[in-house]
């Protein structure tokens, strides 16, 4: 199985898809090869500055803890634990997080062993190797191993509160489908989906997969940010939170960390969308649900 890189520099770095292609071999995708970490770091672009938030070893320590904690469980169980802690450890702006070169470096230069553990498929009956999809290393934000967790934490958190992130990431169908939707950038929408899960209105993957496209389709005619307005983003709170990384302790392992001290989403706005989404869900086509069951 692909192992932890032998060479881990002090700073995180950036690596492009073109540069990464040389190291994403069939042997790596099947878990048979390691990433040549020294060669990789020769072509990677180190991140500038000396800030603690972009130090490599704090992130690697967090990933090692995830591997230890969940080694005897299904790998999917690690998502809800790791997402808020990865977000709190890195403390990125959205502009920084939009640079996919950082996530590619995390997957290849910092933790290819985690990518393999988390996403390697089962070996097939014909004896062929299991395999990790290439986009778990270099894919879009809703597919790439670490980008999907960071963005889930960013879009589902309620100000400093990461509990909604835990709920969202605890359902793989919600995590996989919601991150593809443009409407999820509207915070009351994201939190309303979580609220429906907490209430038990939506439980199964089939129900999530019926609800999310209905919510997205309705947004074409009903502007959620008009009927359920959010408060403005507080840039000062985010900057203060990022600056505090210089003196912060490692992300807590046994309780949730705290995000930036931004104002929470208006409860009235979230409640209004929950009511609306429940109506949409009642009419949604859920595969396997008997006719009239949701009425």
């Amino acid at each position: 199985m692909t192992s932890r890189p032998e060479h881990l520099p002090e700073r995180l770095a950036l690596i492009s898809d073109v540069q990464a292609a040389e190291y994403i071999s069939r042997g790596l995708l099947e878990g048979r090869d390691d990433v040549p970490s020294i060669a990789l770091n020769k072509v990677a672009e180190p991140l500038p500055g000396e800030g603690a938030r972009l130090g490599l070893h704090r992130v690697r320590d967090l990933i090692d803890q995830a591997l230890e904690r969940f080694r005897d469980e299904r790998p999917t169980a690690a998502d809800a634990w790791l997402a808020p802690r990865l977000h709190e450890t890195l403390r990125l702006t959205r502009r920084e997080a939009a640079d996919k070169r950082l996530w590619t470096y995390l997957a290849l230069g910092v933790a290819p062993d985690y990518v393999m553990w988390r996403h390697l498929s089962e070996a097939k009956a014909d004896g062929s190797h299991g395999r990790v999809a290439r986009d778990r290393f270099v894919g879009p934000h809703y597919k790439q191993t670490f980008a999907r967790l960071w963005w889930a934490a960013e879009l589902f958190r309620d100000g400093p509160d990461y509990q909604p992130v835990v709920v969202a990431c605890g359902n793989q169908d919600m995590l996989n489908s919601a991150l593809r939707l443009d409407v999820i950038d509207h915070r009351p929408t994201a939190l309303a989906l979580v609220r429906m899960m907490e209430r038990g209105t939506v439980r199964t993957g089939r129900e999530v997969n019926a609800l999310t496209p209905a919510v997205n389709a309705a947004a074409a005619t009903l502007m959620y940010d008009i009927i359920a307005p959010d408060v403005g983003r507080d840039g000062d709170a985010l900057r203060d939170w990022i600056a505090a990384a210089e003196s912060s302790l490692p992300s807590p392992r046994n309780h949730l960390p705290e995000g930036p001290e931004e104002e929470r989403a208006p409860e009235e706005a979230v409640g209004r969308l929950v009511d609306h989404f429940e109506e949409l869900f009642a009419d949604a086509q859920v595969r396997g649900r008997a006719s009239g069951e949701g009425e």
Side-chain angles (χ1 to χ4, degrees):
M1 180 64 74
T2 299
S3 60
R4 189 180 193 268
E6 292 184 357
H7 175 62
L8 291 171
E10 291 299 317
R11 304 285 296 165
L12 294 172
L14 307 173
I15 189 166
S16 70
D17 286 1
V18 173
Q19 293 169 321
E22 180 179 349
Y23 305 99
I24 304 177
S25 63
R26 179 175 178 178
L28 175 65
L29 295 178
E30 293 179 352
R32 295 182 287 107
D33 292 347
D34 292 334
V35 175
S37 53
I38 293 177
L40 177 81
N41 280 285
K42 286 182 179 179
V43 301
E45 177 186 342
L47 286 167
E50 300 296 330
R53 70 188 176 106
L54 296 178
L56 185 150
H57 290 278
R58 180 173 286 200
V59 179
R60 181 65 227 197
D61 289 347
L62 180 66
I63 292 168
D64 285 338
Q65 183 67 38
L67 288 167
E68 174 66 22
R69 278 177 171 255
F70 297 96
R71 63 181 177 180
D72 297 325
E73 300 185 39
R74 292 178 62 87
T76 53
D79 289 350
W81 185 88
L82 184 55
R85 292 168 175 84
L86 181 68
H87 186 274
E88 192 267 347
T89 297
L90 289 174
R91 302 199 184 197
L92 303 171
T93 65
R94 288 192 176 190
R95 176 176 292 183
E96 290 170 329
D99 189 342
K100 69 192 302 285
R101 296 177 299 166
L102 172 62
W103 305 116
T104 301
Y105 182 79
L106 271 174
L108 281 172
V110 179
D113 53 326
Y114 183 88
V115 178
M116 302 308 299
W117 173 80
R118 173 61 184 82
H119 292 293
L120 185 66
S121 64
E122 296 288 337
K124 297 180 180 178
D126 63 5
S128 57
H129 291 277
R131 190 177 177 89
V132 167
R134 189 175 186 275
D135 56 17
R136 298 302 185 182
F137 286 97
V138 294
H141 75 280
Y142 53 84
K143 280 283 192 179
Q144 205 272 352
T145 298
F146 298 110
R148 69 196 285 267
L149 297 180
W150 191 94
W151 280 105
E154 173 67 9
L155 295 171
F156 282 105
R157 68 180 174 87
D158 189 8
D161 183 11
Y162 285 116
Q163 184 56 40
V165 179
V166 174
V167 177
C169 291
N171 184 303
Q172 288 297 302
D173 292 281
M174 179 62 74
L175 180 57
N176 292 334
S177 61
L179 289 184
R180 300 171 183 261
L181 308 180
D182 289 339
V183 294
I184 211 67
D185 193 40
H186 180 239
R187 190 167 54 155
T189 295
L191 294 175
L193 292 174
V194 169
R195 189 72 54 82
M196 292 182 71
M197 295 173 64
E198 291 175 327
R199 290 183 176 182
T201 306
V202 175
R203 300 181 302 275
T204 68
R206 290 180 178 182
E207 290 173 340
V208 168
N209 289 329
L211 173 64
T212 50
V215 167
N216 198 50
T221 55
L222 187 65
M223 299 182 69
Y224 297 150
D225 57 342
I226 299 299
I227 67 169
D230 195 4
V231 296
R233 293 180 61 84
D234 187 347
D236 288 339
L238 179 62
R239 284 188 288 271
D240 290 345
W241 182 68
I242 289 174
E246 298 305 307
S247 58
S248 66
L249 296 172
S251 193
R253 289 357 186 198
N254 297 318
H255 61 271
L256 283 175
E258 293 185 358
E261 285 296 331
E262 296 172 326
E263 188 174 348
R264 296 172 186 264
E267 181 61 32
E268 182 180 357
V270 176
R272 187 176 295 124
L273 288 181
V274 169
D275 292 341
H276 178 62
F277 293 167
E278 286 180 343
E279 293 177 6
L280 292 176
F281 181 63
D283 294 331
Q285 296 295 318
V286 179
R287 189 161 57 92
R289 182 168 70 180
S291 178
E293 185 178 328
E295 299 176 2

